[in-house]
Amino acid sequence: MTIERRELPYPQPLPISSNDMERRVETAQWSAESAKQVGLSLEGSSPETILRRGFEQFAPSIVMATGFGPEGIVLMHLVSEIRPETLVFYLDTDLLFAHTYELRDELVRRLGIRFERVHSGLSLPVQALRHGDKLWERDPDSCCQIRKVIPQRQFLANYSAWITGIRRDQTAFRANTGVVEWDYANKMIKLNPLAAWTSDQVWEHIQTHNLPYNPLHDYGYPSIGCWTCTKAVEPGQDPRSGRWAGKAKTECGIHLPSIKK
Ligand code: SF4
């Protein structure tokens, strides 16, 4: 199988409704403790229940994030049934696999997902001029900060809550993930409806509902990010060991801020 990088035209973002422009609802009444208590009360609930509670509380000021992994596919399926107008954003680093863009387009066709492309505004050539060529090889933390963390932080500043697909058994860092958390860095609520799910549950849902997924998963790529920082792994290896392989880095940084510094 040839893994190629191919530039595809970006779709124009769909119009944002006037409801979305109301943006942030009041989150002052929320604290890390109250978020934790709500999360504990929802522990053991289905992802659908957690999503419904989130929408009841925060819509329209709630968005979903996806990196187009299998967890995101499950959540997009559920969101498309519960609140199909929900905006789903992805961080376009200009370095995603062609398969990822093709999956995005398939999700629009199959599930009617309303995507928002979030971008740094910095082209790769300009980044190379300012920071040197192939920054991801020399300083991946800075590269992720520029192309993912800062654009996401700016985007999320307009909302009160976001939904992610992270799971507790993905990494040691994610082991204590709550289904509802206070996100310190973004000063907002973070919903992780699949926190307690296993990888097997995720794949069973995808197969049961015949949902599309990135074909690279069938070729040794259990976790997929930028093509520059993603490698195939051998069977039995840590599924995330193909991300920033050979480096100490295990997270791009967009989920780190949930921990109070
Ligand atoms: S994953 Fe790699 S290429 Fe993508 S933003 Fe992070 S360091 Fe840069």
Side-chain angles (χ1 to χ4, degrees), residues 83-259:
R83 188 174 180 271
E85 66 270 38
T86 303
L87 201 61
V88 178
F89 76 94
Y90 64 100
L91 298 168
D92 192 345
T93 59
D94 299 324
L95 292 161
L96 303 181
F97 286 95
H99 309 73
T100 304
Y101 294 113
E102 288 163 3
L103 176 59
R104 172 201 60 192
D105 296 342
E106 178 67 7
L107 288 161
V108 172
R109 285 190 290 271
R110 288 275 304 279
L111 301 179
I113 299 299
R114 187 173 167 235
F115 281 115
E116 176 84 10
R117 173 185 181 244
V118 175
H119 187 266
S120 63
L122 189 70
S123 70
L124 292 172
V126 173
Q127 177 170 300
L129 278 175
R130 289 185 190 171
H131 303 283
D133 199 22
K134 298 182 179 175
L135 182 60
W136 48 86
E137 289 183 359
R138 292 176 291 104
D139 187 354
D141 283 343
S142 293
C143 187
C144 278
Q145 190 75 10
I146 292 167
R147 306 201 78 76
K148 291 184 174 181
V149 178
I150 293 172
Q152 170 169 286
R153 194 155 297 170
Q154 290 170 340
F155 178 73
L156 286 178
N158 299 309
Y159 295 92
S160 303
W162 63 304
I163 302 162
T164 89
I166 63 174
R167 293 185 298 103
R168 290 175 189 146
D169 68 4
Q170 285 173 314
T171 65
F173 178 80
R174 298 179 183 187
N176 295 318
T177 299
V179 295
V180 179
E181 296 181 322
W182 179 252
D183 178 340
Y184 285 95
N186 293 304
K187 298 179 178 57
M188 65 196 301
I189 292 293
K190 185 176 180 184
L191 300 179
N192 308 301
L194 300 180
W197 272 34
T198 63
S199 178
D200 285 350
Q201 285 177 287
V202 169
W203 281 107
E204 187 180 330
H205 185 99
I206 288 174
Q207 282 154 9
T208 300
H209 298 279
N210 193 28
L211 299 174
Y213 63 88
N214 195 320
L216 292 176
H217 292 310
D218 294 333
Y219 292 87
Y221 292 78
S223 179
I224 300 167
C226 296
W227 65 268
T228 40
C229 298
T230 305
K231 283 190 165 64
V233 304
E234 295 298 325
Q237 274 190 305
D238 176 351
R240 281 184 66 87
S241 61
R243 303 288 297 277
W244 306 285
K247 296 185 170 66
K249 187 175 173 66
T250 58
E251 297 274 351
C252 62
I254 61 173
H255 294 298
L256 295 178
S258 288
I259 300 298

Side-chain angles (χ1 to χ4, degrees), residues 38-65:
V38 172
L40 288 174
S41 73
L42 285 170
E43 192 65 42
S45 301
S46 68
E48 290 94 326
T49 298
I50 297 164
L51 285 169
R52 285 185 203 283
R53 283 288 299 276
F55 291 137
E56 285 165 13
Q57 183 78 39
F58 297 108
S61 191
I62 181 169
V63 285
M64 180 188 151

Side-chain angles (χ1 to χ4, degrees), residues 11-33:
Q12 291 300 308
L14 292 170
I16 294 176
S17 73
S18 57
N19 274 350
D20 284 338
M21 298 309 289
E22 291 172 16
R23 318 286 273 199
R24 277 202 176 227
V25 296
E26 189 56 59
T27 54
Q29 75 273 26
W30 285 87
S31 66
E33 187 53 34

